[in-house]
Amino acid sequence: MVYESGAPTLVPAEPEDLDEIAALCRAVTRELPQCGWNEHYPNRELLTRDLVSGHLY
């Protein structure tokens, strides 16, 4: 996420962002179990596929 003029702007993820995004997903799974995510979804393989296809922000 990039902040321009004080407002957040979503930007496509880069390969170097993958570890941080995966960690964020794990944290959400622990802290918000009602979100529907679990230890299997989203997994690193899915995040990588989304990154390569340009669908990960």
Side-chain angles (χ1 to χ4, degrees):
M1 187 176 319
V2 175
Y3 288 89
E4 294 179 8
S5 302
T9 302
L10 295 177
V11 296
E14 298 290 336
E16 59 270 13
D17 300 327
L18 197 54
D19 288 337
E20 189 173 356
I21 293 169
L24 176 62
C25 291
R26 285 191 306 274
V28 168
T29 300
R30 282 189 308 273
E31 299 298 322
L32 298 170
Q34 68 274 21
C35 77
W37 290 359
N38 58 40
E39 65 273 5
H40 305 292
Y41 177 86
N43 59 36
R44 192 174 186 87
E45 180 182 336
L46 178 63
L47 293 172
T48 300
R49 200 173 344 147
D50 287 348
L51 177 90
V52 169
S53 66
H55 295 122
L56 188 64
Y57 284 76

